[in-house]
Amino acid sequence: MSLGEHAFGVAVKHVHDILGPQQVAAVPLTSEAVLGSINLRGRIVTVLDLAVVLGLKRVTEADRALNVVIADDKELYALMVDNVGEVMTLPCSTLEPLPPTFPAGWRAISNGIFKLPDHLLLTLEPDRILAVIKAQSGKQA
C-alpha cells in the first residue's frame, strides 16, 4: 500500500479486507488519526488515517481513498491509504532494521524495511499502530 510516494506493507495474516472509498461517520473526541467509523457487513470498523499516524500529508482525498482492514483481537480497523498494490512474498532474511535517521514515529510502528529494486518498503505492525493511536487518544481507539 502507499501514501504519496511512500510504500508500506502489512503481513497478509493481519489483512481482513481491502475496501474502496467508504462513507465515514465521524466520531467526536478521538485522536486526530481516528477519522470515524464505517459499517462493514454489520460490524463497526474504526477508520484510521495512516497519513496522520506517520506525519505525512494525504495525497488522495478521504472520500476517494482506499481502506485496508486489519484485525486486532476481535476488533477490526481500517487503515486509510492512497493506493493498494499487490501481495508480495518477501524473504524475512532480507528485512533490514530502520536506519536511525527515520522519524521516531515510523520506528515506533515498524519492524524493518525491505529494499526493493525501485523503492523501499516499510513494514508496519498493526498492534504498534493501534498502541500509538490509543496512547494519543488516552482511551481505546
Side-chain angles (χ1 to χ4, degrees):
M1 58 190 163
S2 66
L3 288 166
E5 298 176 3
H6 303 284
F8 303 94
V10 174
V12 74
K13 68 181 179 181
H14 297 296
V15 178
H16 185 274
D17 243 319
I18 307 283
L19 304 174
Q22 299 291 311
Q23 181 68 34
V24 178
V27 177
L29 305 174
T30 60
S31 163
E32 181 185 357
V34 177
L35 289 175
S37 297
I38 59 173
N39 182 340
L40 178 62
R41 296 184 286 280
R43 291 186 69 180
I44 302 301
V45 178
T46 302
V47 179
L48 309 173
D49 190 341
L50 191 55
V52 171
V53 174
L54 292 165
L56 297 173
K57 190 173 204 161
R58 170 149 302 287
V59 174
T60 304
E61 294 298 322
D63 62 347
R64 298 187 51 154
L66 301 176
N67 295 274
V68 177
V69 180
I70 57 174
D72 174 56
D73 293 327
K74 296 177 183 174
E75 297 297 320
L76 296 177
Y77 298 87
L79 300 176
M80 186 177 285
V81 298
D82 294 332
N83 195 12
V84 175
E86 63 188 79
V87 174
M88 303 170 76
T89 301
L90 300 169
C92 291
S93 61
T94 62
L95 181 67
E96 297 184 20
L98 290 178
T101 55
F102 269 62
W106 289 33
R107 289 194 313 269
I109 63 173
S110 175
N111 66 347
I113 196 163
F114 287 101
K115 291 180 184 175
L116 301 179
D118 56 349
H119 63 278
L120 298 175
L121 178 78
L122 183 76
T123 61
L124 300 177
E125 291 296 320
D127 58 334
R128 293 185 192 179
I129 294 170
L130 298 174
V132 166
I133 291 171
K134 288 175 184 177
Q136 288 175 351
S137 66
K139 58 185 174 187
Q140 200 166 11

